[in-house]
Amino acid sequence: MKKSILLLSLLCCVTPSFAAPDKAKLKAEVASMEDAFCAMAKAQGINTAFAHFAAPDVAFIDTDPRKFRGPAAVQERMGPDQPGVSLTWSAYFTDVSDDGTLGYNYGRFESRRPGRDGQEVVRGGWFLSIWKRQPDGSWKYVMDTGVPDRPPVPPAPPAAPAAPKPPAN
């Protein structure tokens, strides 16, 4: 009995020391993953990159996340690569959770594709990628979304000239 009380008192006094994650290092890892993701899209194709960096439970807001998850979600959203279409992006901001299990990047993207008239169509916008640390320590994105820039507001039509005032009597 004395041994068990002694052991219990020792265990109560010993608290495990868990080191806080190095957030600067983790932010650099998440930013690096975003850069590698974009580089693969340029080199090997958009669909290949989106499939490679996707977490097993990835979902997208612009497809039904209740229906499409994982590889099916990637295929539903991306479809096959199309000739002449490119997508590039760069993060402006990166952060990670205090426990080091989630991270995100947001920044600008640009897509280019051939138009119907043969002229290249260029569109830009903002993206958000949410990354989750996997059991093997790697990072995979679990959510990705983007919104195109709003079209510029057309200029207001010129004001009609004021009607001449009648002469004063």
Side-chain angles (χ1 to χ4, degrees):
M1 179 76 157
K2 284 186 178 183
K3 287 183 181 179
S4 61
I5 292 174
L6 180 61
L7 182 60
L8 182 59
S9 64
L10 283 174
L11 287 174
C12 290
C13 294
V14 176
T15 57
S17 63
F18 295 106
D22 181 347
K23 286 187 73 168
K25 178 180 177 257
L26 294 174
K27 286 180 185 183
E29 286 178 13
V30 172
S32 177
M33 292 306 298
E34 197 74 61
D35 292 342
F37 185 13
C38 181
M40 181 181 272
K42 286 181 199 175
Q44 298 180 31
I46 299 167
N47 195 329
T48 298
F50 271 81
H52 176 79
F53 285 94
D57 56 343
V58 68
F60 300 94
I61 294 198
D62 54 353
T63 61
D64 186 342
R66 298 166 299 176
K67 182 177 177 185
F68 301 107
R69 300 201 53 99
V74 174
Q75 292 308 309
E76 178 65 22
R77 182 178 194 226
M78 304 311 299
D81 283 331
Q82 299 172 359
V85 175
S86 69
L87 178 64
T88 57
W89 63 94
S90 181
Y92 278 8
F93 183 81
T94 301
D95 203 359
V96 294
S97 62
D98 287 341
D99 67 358
T101 60
L102 288 174
Y104 69 94
N105 293 307
Y106 67 79
R108 299 285 301 161
F109 75 84
E110 180 181 89
S111 68
R112 295 176 174 268
R113 67 180 59 243
R116 290 188 176 145
D117 61 359
Q119 298 295 315
E120 183 176 54
V121 176
V122 179
R123 292 181 38 199
W126 291 93
F127 77 88
L128 169 69
S129 301
I130 301 173
W131 296 84
K132 183 178 177 183
R133 185 173 289 286
Q134 301 300 297
D136 67 0
S138 67
W139 290 95
K140 299 283 185 176
Y141 75 92
V142 291
M143 180 73 60
D144 179 83
T145 192
V147 289
D149 290 331
R150 293 180 178 164
V153 177
K165 294 182 180 182
N169 288 347

